[in-house]
Amino acid sequence: MLKTFKIGGVHPPENKLSAAGKIQVLPIPEKVIIPLGQHIGAPAKPIVKKGDHVLAGQKIAEAGGFVSAPIHSSVSGTVKGIEKRLTAVGAMGDAIIIENDGLYESVEYAPAKLSDLSKEDILKRIQEGGVVGQGGAGFPTHVKLSPKEPDKIDHILVNGAECEPYITSDYRRMMEEPESIVGGLEVILKAFPKAVGCICIEDNKPDCIAKLTELTKNEPR
């Protein structure tokens, strides 16, 4: 069976039909449905109840274990209930239903300079922020960044490859918000001082390569 595959894998034709379409902001929803299981591992546990008023950015569910992540509200408004809803993986799961008041009143956020943060501070902020991977499994990022032997980490790879023939979301992100990508890599490198960073981009994206090469030309790591 393996002998039928050519060395280098399968390379279907590219159909980057949406490559020229810029990232857009979706219309304001009247109601949001926020699943408690948006990541691999234990679902988050709700800390709000029906009738509560919440702010945008407010934590509405806490992590259900180490391999789990807290969840925050994307809008301000009133919690209408916690109900079973169909999730993206095709299973029913608990979700917090919030009626959007359209005001987007948000919680106070305390920014910090990266130079002032320790590795422990960085990991705590990532964990408390509910950051998870976007590759499909939704693996909690703070778990990924807690290896048994952190001193052995010598490279941090940023995956800018789009293996699927139709996907263009990575391309648009690199073209429109490259500073965020470089800034995120700087945060991770601060947590792993012995590592260097590599932004991995396919050679079919020369404009992305040029843009990020220019942005990182003065970054020794």
Side-chain angles (χ1 to χ4, degrees):
M1 184 68 176
L2 292 176
K3 292 180 180 179
T4 64
F5 289 91
K6 294 181 180 180
I7 295 175
V10 177
H11 296 272
E14 295 173 2
N15 293 284
K16 305 294 187 179
L17 305 179
S18 57
K22 294 185 177 181
I23 298 171
Q24 299 184 35
V25 178
L26 291 173
I28 296 175
E30 295 180 358
K31 178 176 64 177
V32 294
I33 301 168
I34 304 180
L36 295 174
Q38 297 190 38
H39 47 267
I40 201 168
K45 298 179 180 179
I47 54 175
V48 294
K49 61 184 185 304
K50 183 177 181 179
D52 286 352
H53 178 75
V54 298
L55 301 175
Q58 178 179 331
K59 183 163 68 172
I60 56 176
E62 60 186 6
F66 180 65
V67 183
S68 185
I71 293 174
H72 305 76
S73 177
S74 56
V75 301
S76 60
T78 304
V79 176
K80 304 304 289 184
I82 299 173
E83 305 172 4
K84 294 285 185 183
R85 293 297 176 97
L86 188 65
T87 67
V89 297
M92 299 298 289
D94 289 332
I96 298 175
I97 316 300
I98 302 175
E99 185 177 67
N100 185 7
D101 61 15
L103 301 177
Y104 285 89
E105 297 174 323
S106 61
V107 295
E108 291 186 10
Y109 176 72
K113 291 183 179 179
L114 181 58
S115 58
D116 295 336
L117 298 176
S118 65
K119 176 179 180 177
E120 291 70 27
D121 294 332
I122 291 171
L123 290 179
K124 184 176 181 181
R125 280 177 171 253
I126 290 172
Q127 182 175 13
E128 186 62 21
V131 182
V132 301
Q134 294 185 329
F139 201 89
T141 301
H142 72 277
V143 180
K144 278 186 182 179
L145 299 181
S146 303
K148 292 182 179 179
E149 299 178 281
D151 289 341
K152 290 187 176 182
I153 303 299
D154 52 17
H155 284 79
I156 303 296
L157 308 182
V158 177
N159 182 6
E162 290 180 326
C163 301
E164 294 84 352
Y166 284 89
I167 245 180
T168 60
S169 56
D170 292 348
Y171 172 73
R172 292 311 317 174
R173 183 71 65 188
M174 287 186 282
M175 290 301 296
E176 296 184 46
E177 300 180 2
E179 296 85 358
S180 296
I181 295 169
V182 175
L185 180 53
E186 288 175 339
V187 171
I188 305 305
L189 289 174
K190 178 70 184 292
F192 295 94
K194 294 184 178 181
V196 296
C198 297
I199 302 176
C200 309
I201 308 172
E202 294 159 299
D203 57 11
N204 64 357
K205 299 178 178 61
D207 43 2
C208 290
I209 294 172
K211 187 179 285 283
L212 284 157
T213 298
E214 176 64 23
L215 269 180
T216 57
K217 64 182 180 181
N218 296 321
E219 298 287 347
R221 296 177 64 198

